[in-house]
Amino acid sequence: MAWQWFHRLGSPRWFYQKTSGWLPWLALVSIVLLAAGTVWGLGFAPEDAKQGNSYRIIFIHVPAAFLALAGYYIMAISGAIGLIWKMKLSFAVMRAAAPIGAVLTFISLFTGAVWGKPTWGTYWVWDARITSMLILLFLYIGVMALSQAVSREQVADKASALLALVGTVNIPIIYKSVDWWFTLHQPATIRLTESSSIDPSMFYPLLIMIIGFYCLYAWTLLTHTRTLLLRREIRTQWAQQELAGEN
Amino acid sequence: MHPVRKQRLILILVLVALSSAAVGFVTYAMRENMDYFYAPSAFAAGEVPFEKRIRAGGCVVPGSVQRAGNSLDVQFVITDGEAELAVVFDKILPDLFAEGEAAVISGQLMQSGIMRADQVLAKHDENYTPPEVAESMVSQKGCTDGAKI
């Protein structure tokens, strides 16, 4: 059957054993990329003509914001797959993605505020981009809270998946807010369809940081999902064996 | 796909579509409040109330900044390429405030048509360039491209 691979993916045991070999590689690649990107971006990239050195926050701010948005889709789509196929693994991915996304959203809001003070002259304004980003943080926290609030795991899974799915409407709003409305936040610098308005000497370290953040995200998400799976399946034989083997 | 799963998939798509539509209608209804500031052409069109706290945004017209000799008082003109708005301010301007750059101003529109600002924020553009590259492009500086806000 065409769907067989998909159903096998839903087996927590299969997933747990399959991914254990990936973790060291993901860890290695993300640490190397993040170290290289940080040293290049902070030490060797030229300073900006107008902002001076304060622009260097872009090397954390932009990758964190990228992953905060992409991670929301990962969380919502996992929730949808869980609802449609009743897949335990998928709900575990959804639960694991929520705190990681919340941290990334907080990082982008915090670094933005730190950068905003010297650049704009204020830490915070209620423009469309920044406010919709704050709503994203609340959505992540909402999914986290809802998944903990109900003691019956299956009910909690369904409720949080529905909240995550309803919240997806916020993602295109965040992304397009700087184009649709007048905001204090500037429009996108990196564009897929037209040339980016950033000098190549600054773009390459930024690109390395973005790829590094993607690897870091995958690493963290897998690690957290595996922990959640073990906790859910603690009574099964395979989980007991894995725990015994690791200690 | 199993019919039950197909039905759940359709239900989820409907849920996402309906919630998106709901949020879309709300933002559309509030579209006038979604903008963080008014453009100078909105002032010219008389859309901005007098003596109420509002915000204006635009490109600072090169050569328009005039500083008083013995105080912090400063006046300048902002534009969106269609209309201009005169602004007076009596506090310290942010470091990145400059002629030919965008700024967002909070304050009140006086009956005279001049805006009295109580806060001026510099609006950074999306361009990142090293100093050497920027020096070779100085001739492009200005408010020519209208949409520079």
Side-chain angles (χ1 to χ4, degrees):
Chain A
M1 280 296 287
W3 289 90
Q4 202 176 359
W5 65 273
F6 193 73
H7 290 288
R8 196 169 52 189
L9 196 67
S11 149
R13 179 185 181 181
W14 183 86
F15 177 86
Y16 191 92
Q17 285 162 355
K18 193 84 185 165
T19 50
S20 65
W22 301 354
L23 290 178
W25 295 106
L26 272 175
L28 182 74
V29 171
S30 40
I31 289 169
V32 166
L33 285 176
L34 290 178
T38 308
V39 172
W40 190 355
L42 300 188
F44 295 98
E47 64 175 39
D48 182 67
K50 289 174 205 150
Q51 305 174 55
N53 281 316
S54 70
Y55 94 93
R56 292 183 201 277
I57 208 121
I58 196 178
F59 296 115
I60 304 291
H61 178 78
V62 169
F66 266 38
L67 265 300
L69 300 194
Y72 196 90
Y73 277 128
I74 291 175
M75 181 174 82
I77 291 170
S78 311
I81 293 174
L83 285 177
I84 296 168
W85 280 275
K86 306 270 177 217
M87 208 183 267
K88 281 185 212 163
L89 169 67
S90 195
F91 283 128
V93 173
M94 176 193 75
R95 282 175 180 244
I100 304 170
V103 167
L104 287 166
T105 312
F106 179 79
I107 290 174
S108 43
L109 284 171
F110 181 79
T111 51
V114 169
W115 174 85
K117 187 63 184 170
T119 313
W120 295 334
T122 180
Y123 289 111
W124 187 267
V125 290
W126 293 98
D127 80 354
R129 167 59 71 83
I130 301 171
T131 310
S132 55
M133 204 63 188
L134 186 67
I135 293 172
L136 180 71
L137 179 65
F138 293 156
L139 280 169
Y140 273 127
I141 293 174
V143 171
M144 283 165 70
L146 197 55
S147 62
Q148 303 291 323
V150 187
S151 53
R152 277 189 58 204
E153 205 157 51
Q154 287 171 333
V155 181
D157 281 341
K158 280 185 192 169
S160 355
L162 285 177
L163 175 62
L165 281 164
V166 170
T168 48
V169 60
N170 193 30
I171 303 298
I173 292 180
I174 298 176
Y175 183 64
K176 296 302 281 182
S177 55
V178 288
D179 299 325
W180 286 342
W181 302 295
F182 289 139
T183 54
L184 186 60
H185 193 288
Q186 66 269 26
T189 293
I190 303 169
R191 291 178 181 273
L192 291 176
T193 46
E194 43 199 295
S195 63
S196 297
S197 51
I198 181 167
D199 194 80
S201 59
M202 301 160 167
F203 178 68
Y204 290 125
L206 179 58
L207 189 65
I208 289 178
M209 286 302 274
I210 291 172
I211 301 170
F213 261 75
Y214 267 95
C215 295
L216 179 69
Y217 184 88
W219 176 26
T220 329
L221 185 70
L222 279 185
T223 312
H224 196 177
T225 308
R226 286 159 55 86
T227 315
L228 290 179
L229 284 178
L230 271 191
R231 200 159 66 191
R232 285 189 168 205
E233 304 280 296
I234 194 74
R235 289 194 192 85
T236 64
Q237 203 183 358
W238 74 266
Q240 293 290 346
Q241 276 170 356
E242 291 291 341
L243 283 172
E246 275 176 5
N247 288 335
Chain B
M1 202 192 278
H2 193 280
V4 178
R5 289 177 190 138
K6 199 167 199 168
Q7 200 181 3
R8 287 195 211 119
L9 175 68
I10 293 166
L11 265 173
I12 285 170
L13 291 177
V14 168
L15 171 84
V16 171
L18 283 180
S19 54
S20 304
V23 173
F25 285 131
V26 171
T27 36
Y28 182 73
M30 299 197 311
R31 64 193 177 281
E32 278 164 10
N33 300 315
M34 295 297 291
D35 287 320
Y36 187 63
F37 52 81
Y38 291 104
S41 49
F43 285 82
E47 293 169 14
V48 182
F50 288 106
E51 283 156 15
K52 259 183 86 178
R53 207 183 131 83
I54 43 96
R55 277 180 293 258
C59 178
V60 181
V61 176
S64 72
V65 180
Q66 293 179 327
R67 290 167 203 272
N70 54 357
S71 68
L72 286 171
D73 288 359
V74 59
Q75 51 176 303
F76 54 90
V77 176
I78 58 169
T79 180
D80 59 354
E82 290 169 28
E84 294 193 333
L85 175 73
V87 181
V88 291
F89 186 52
D90 59 359
K91 298 190 190 75
I92 298 169
L93 290 165
D95 291 348
L96 271 91
F97 178 90
E99 294 180 351
E101 300 288 337
V104 173
I105 297 118
S106 303
Q108 297 191 345
L109 179 65
M110 298 183 293
Q111 295 289 349
S112 58
I114 295 173
M115 184 157 170
R116 181 185 292 282
D118 51 45
Q119 186 193 37
V120 174
L121 301 176
K123 177 164 160 40
H124 179 62
D125 60 29
E126 68 272 33
N127 300 310
Y128 291 83
T129 41
E132 311 87 65
V133 182
E135 272 168 32
S136 62
M137 313 195 301
V138 255
S139 55
Q140 290 179 5
K141 199 174 169 183
C143 298
T144 43
D145 52 346
K148 213 178 173 181
I149 49 169

